[in-house]
Amino acid sequence: MKAVTGAVAGFAVGVAALIAVTACSSSPSASMLTPAGGSSATVANGQSSAGGVVGVAYVMPPFGTNVHIEMTSWLPSSTAQAQAVITDKDYELAYLYSEYRGGHDQSWVSYVGSMMQSAVQQSLRATDVTTESFTGTISYFDMRVIPDPLVHGDLDVSSCFDNAGSSNTNLSTGAVLPDTSPADSHYVRITDELREDSAGQWQVISSLPAVSYPRAEECRPS
């Protein structure tokens, strides 16, 4: 599968967190919806390290049987932080599913602010998104959440992203495309900034450039 590099969303299948939108920008609210196809999706129960958020869930989009997505079940003990983490999981999975569908699925819109929408939409119109899909296994692990260092009240949610076990394919034929990227480039830390709207719902408002292994040492392959 293609490497994840720089701050260009859609360059590699599966990385929703590479949209370069300023971390200090504000954006109007958008309601949270269940991703398209949610009725047939797998729902995974969230697990918290303390009380308050047990039983909440993220939605796994209806990927085909040739795709396996491993999303960490980790949640922080803080209820507010846990809700932000769940929103980020839903966004990452919905964006990944849109890439799987050649950029056509729009369920990710429910989880982002208006300024973020245009950037994500543009990334999903890239040729290597609209002409490709993927197969195999993609993993999210070592998820963390911290207060954003620049904007009071915002939260930064990050996770390690591993797409070494997946392959890009031609969307029309299903043929596997060659991967010429360095092995280490398949292991990265991705980070999204989230903000709570007036209704108390969290939205992704920006994403930071991915940090690849070995700089992201904690994301090294097992």
Side-chain angles (χ1 to χ4, degrees):
M1 192 170 188
K2 294 179 192 172
V4 178
T5 60
V8 183
F11 179 77
V13 168
V15 181
L18 307 184
I19 311 297
V21 178
T22 175
C24 297
S25 63
S26 61
S27 54
S29 304
S31 60
M32 285 190 53
L33 303 173
T34 301
S39 60
S40 60
T42 299
V43 177
N45 290 330
Q47 298 176 2
S48 65
S49 55
V53 287
V54 175
V56 292
Y58 62 85
V59 178
M60 182 66 71
F63 292 95
T65 57
N66 59 348
V67 172
H68 179 57
I69 308 300
E70 299 175 344
M71 172 58 75
T72 174
S73 62
W74 176 83
L75 287 176
S77 58
S78 162
T79 299
Q81 290 189 350
Q83 294 295 344
V85 167
I86 293 166
T87 296
D88 193 62
K89 290 180 181 182
D90 284 338
Y91 165 65
E92 290 287 339
L93 291 167
Y95 184 94
L96 187 60
Y97 184 66
S98 187
E99 287 199 316
Y100 176 72
R101 296 281 307 277
H104 296 299
D105 188 81
Q106 298 293 304
S107 56
W108 56 268
V109 173
S110 303
Y111 308 112
V112 304
S114 59
M115 290 186 66
M116 185 75 166
Q117 286 182 23
S118 59
V120 177
Q121 193 68 262
Q122 183 177 1
S123 75
L124 290 171
R125 291 173 181 151
T127 301
D128 59 355
V129 175
T130 59
T131 64
E132 297 178 15
S133 184
F134 60 89
T135 61
T137 299
I138 293 175
S139 301
Y140 295 84
F141 62 97
D142 194 37
M143 187 165 274
R144 307 172 183 178
V145 58
I146 63 170
D148 184 84
L150 299 178
V151 182
H152 178 72
D154 287 7
L155 295 174
D156 293 343
V157 179
S158 68
S159 63
C160 289
F161 175 85
D162 174 357
N163 68 357
S166 63
S167 299
N168 285 57
T169 61
N170 182 289
L171 185 62
S172 299
T173 68
V176 174
L177 303 174
D179 178 9
T180 59
S181 55
D184 288 347
S185 63
H186 295 292
Y187 311 97
V188 300
R189 177 160 288 280
I190 55 178
T191 303
D192 296 324
E193 181 181 353
L194 290 92
R195 180 171 299 163
E196 194 173 18
D197 66 15
S198 59
Q201 295 179 333
W202 289 92
Q203 294 181 310
V204 178
I205 64 160
S206 71
S207 295
L208 305 180
V211 179
S212 300
Y213 176 82
R215 282 182 60 204
E217 183 179 358
E218 69 279 11
C219 298
R220 67 177 177 270
S222 58

